Amino acid sequence: MLRRRPRLSAVPAPPAALRRAFRSAAALEAIRSHSDDQAGPATLALYNYPTFAGAYAALAARLFHQRVRLRRLLALPFSSVEPFRAEDFKDAGFQTCYLLDFIGPRNFAFELSRFVPSVIAFDHRQSTLASIPKLGQCPSNVELHIDTSKGSARSAFDYFSKKLAGTNSDSRMWQDLLDQEDVERVSNVLEYIEDADLRRWQLPNTMEFQTALRDERAKLNCVTNPHVFEQLLQLDVGDLLTRAKLDCHDRLQAAGEFIQKPFKLQLGRGSYGECLAIRADGHKKLSHEIGLELSLRSAAAGLSIFFFRHRPIGAVVFMQRGILKVCLRTTDSATNTAEIAKAYGGGGKPSSSSFPLRMDEFNAWTSVNS
């Protein structure tokens, strides 16, 4: 039975100067402070932000250093929004750098190896694996763990567990890294994260689990939230799924209340059939739930797409940065909304897609209802 634990606790809003806090003054100062400290070699852990795989991998590094009583570990979030530069770590005195759930933009890992004696990277993405040959000769002090069959967080936990135990065994030994009470809970969370990261979607309610995690991503910055690693140990699959179910119910209820007078939309001026739609300016955060509700109502109204009955779609239309956006949703597994979206320069998944649309074209799609 999974134990219920609280969600990541709220953190006070940081000062304006620290809110981005990626390659910020605070982060650069933390690097400089390590270079000024002469109390032995230091280790750096850069983790992909805001991914849970990166944050949990950083947790594994932190637990390992606590177990072996190596206190000089600096963990920092690495974001593509404002990435660190390899030169930021020149003369900083780091002996080892772990790149967690990424290898960095372009040849960042290789450039970093000029200033850090040992660079060890973990990633699980096919795109990363494909990019490695393009980077050229790998320096001898760079160690790449790119395993597309295993999530980055699991790879990091396995690596540090084996390092702690001094063995190369493939068996899981997280019990040495984690307290006994945390092993099952953390293992379950990582299985769900891995299920989504590897696009397997085999575990029950993985989508709902991802939805529940969504609100926690902004709290994964250890510069603005120094308690994040303790909080990650508390996350529980059962609690997250319960929260997701309640949140979904509330959002569906809000979407149902918002939909008052949907109108018919002639998709592609009728080339793709018709569906129910609504303008949702100011309510785009509910576009998914509104679209699903409209899909159900389209089915009840007998509307069709591609000239087949019972292929329901719901369309949610709103202005986004001055551009009219159309979001298509369906509750039917045999319907592919992406075919329509791609025809108009958009894209997405079969059940969920979107595309931009000129206002005159949108007016043509709705003029039949005037």
Side-chain angles (χ1 to χ4, degrees), residues 1-5 183-189 192 209 235-242:
M1 183 71 179
L2 294 174
R3 292 186 303 168
R4 299 281 296 280
R5 290 293 187 96
V183 173
E184 181 180 3
R185 184 171 57 259
V186 172
S187 178
N188 286 328
V189 170
Y192 269 84
F209 176 84
L235 284 183
D236 176 87
V237 170
D239 176 67
L240 288 165
L241 291 180
T242 297

Side-chain angles (χ1 to χ4, degrees), residues 283-317:
H283 294 81
K284 65 180 182 180
K285 289 185 177 181
L286 289 174
S287 60
H288 181 71
E289 289 77 14
I290 293 172
L292 293 179
E293 177 64 21
L294 287 172
S295 173
L296 294 173
R297 295 191 187 191
S298 292
L303 301 182
S304 63
I305 65 167
F306 303 113
F307 308 106
F308 291 100
R309 291 280 176 186
H310 308 301
R311 292 290 186 267
I313 281 182
V316 182
V317 185

Side-chain angles (χ1 to χ4, degrees), residues 78-137:
F78 188 103
S79 171
S80 59
V81 173
E82 194 174 0
F84 287 109
R85 303 162 189 167
E87 289 77 12
D88 293 333
F89 306 98
K90 183 179 181 180
D91 301 324
F94 293 107
Q95 294 300 303
T96 303
C97 176
Y98 296 105
L99 303 179
L100 304 169
D101 193 40
F102 77 115
I103 65 171
R106 301 183 181 89
N107 58 344
F108 175 80
F110 293 0
E111 291 179 352
L112 186 62
S113 68
R114 293 185 295 146
F115 310 120
V116 180
S118 177
V119 176
I120 304 171
F122 299 84
D123 203 339
H124 61 265
R125 296 169 181 81
Q126 291 280 359
S127 58
T128 300
L129 189 63
S131 69
I132 291 175
K134 303 174 185 177
L135 300 178
Q137 183 67 33

